[in-house]
Amino acid sequence: MAEAEKPDVTSRVLVPSSALLWGLQLAFLSPALALILVNLYGATTAEVGWVLAIYNASGFVASLLVPAYADRKHDYLGPMLACGVLTLLLAVVLAAVTTLQLATIALVVIGGPAGVGSSMLYAHLRYSGARPADVVNTRAIVSVAWIAGPPLATVIIGLFGDRAILLAIAAVAVFNIVTTMIMIHHRRAGRTANDAISETAPVRDEPPVGRLGVVLITAAFVLLQATNATGMTILTIYVTETLRLDVLWAGIALGVAAALEVPALILIGRLTERFSSLSLVATGCLAGIAYYLGLSFATGPVMLIALQPLNAWCFAGIGGVGLTLFQQMIPRPGLATGLFTNTRRLGSIVSGPIIAVGSLTALGQRGIFLTSAVLTLIGLGIIAIARRTTPAHSQTKEHTT
């Protein structure tokens, strides 16, 4: 059963604050982690690769176990609080240890579970009865944090040294812990105030697809996440080596895409009230196909920048509506959000072979984007097949005002 929330406080202040804080934590740690491993613990490039692989594997397992526990307990704020505490502990431990081995153990044992916190926020929203638009808007706030986080992290490191970013992460974690504790307090107060009122069941905008449909859509999203990760990973090299442009243009392109991400997420979140999630994800796939094809034929900076709105819409469809789609398909909010998160992790792994195989074609690096376009088209085709497993009445979006 869902919890009675105080929308004036929780929805308007606490949830956005929590999303911003979780976004900042991730935006501080993820881009700086390789630098921390090298500068603080003397890791080689190969060691960085292995440590990050083991760390991500730990996150993959945690994204299955922690949500499963939360689903059994019907409590997502408690695990989210624990993740905040673990983030604080991770920052303290990484600042204290002096060897790569101890740092690796800390990342695996503490960092993997700590990274599930933002997923618990999305699961809590769904369990509390939030509409898909609310979930997508919360995801947009995380994107805002990612616009400001990496540049701010580099400034902190440049001014105060590598360990200073760990202090910044710890400070954000403290605020996150406090915010989550307040959310828990308001949840308990809401329960007390509404003891005599029947609790509302979690919102289900679309009946779940069959098991085959879930499997097909999950496979499709691994492909879609892989092509998205490929585009981000290879763009800088592509701009400098194939387009023969200054690396600054790669930074401008990524910055424009990141800036457009937020309005794209807000717009597509509103559209979830009028159109089905599957249809909106399909528009994201079409935008992705057009983006990758455009990049494969790009010759200069004007076209490179002009293509970025397509990139932003592709991300909004896959990364924003995709999250709500999984929550609509799977009745357990924790499992749904954890499974969606892991499609991104698996996609990042698959992006390596895409880059390797695509670059071996006669087109060189342009072949990487053509390969991405083809795989996105395949992903769209799989989603179209999965849609046939959806009950007919779920494909018509009922909207009430």
Side-chain angles (χ1 to χ4, degrees), residues 54 57 73 76 94 113 144 209-210 250 275 349 351:
I54 298 171
K73 297 295 183 179
Y76 304 94
L94 289 179
V144 170
V209 298
F275 303 98
I349 296 173
S351 67

Side-chain angles (χ1 to χ4, degrees), residues 101-113:
Q101 290 79 6
L102 291 176
T104 302
I105 293 173
L107 287 169
V108 171
V109 176
I110 305 174

Side-chain angles (χ1 to χ4, degrees), residues 169-232:
I169 292 171
V172 174
V174 170
F175 284 109
N176 209 349
I177 291 169
V178 172
T179 301
T180 306
M181 291 177 68
I182 296 174
M183 291 175 69
I184 292 174
H185 171 74
H186 277 272
R187 179 189 63 184
R188 291 172 178 170
R191 282 176 171 172
T192 301
N194 293 278
D195 279 340
I197 301 176
S198 297
E199 293 179 320
T200 304
V203 174
R204 297 194 60 78
D205 300 278
E206 300 175 3
V209 298
R211 182 173 298 180
L212 176 61
V214 173
V215 172
L216 288 173
I217 289 176
T218 300
F221 265 82
V222 171
L223 287 179
L224 298 176
Q225 300 276 27
T227 56
N228 184 267
T230 298
M232 292 184 61

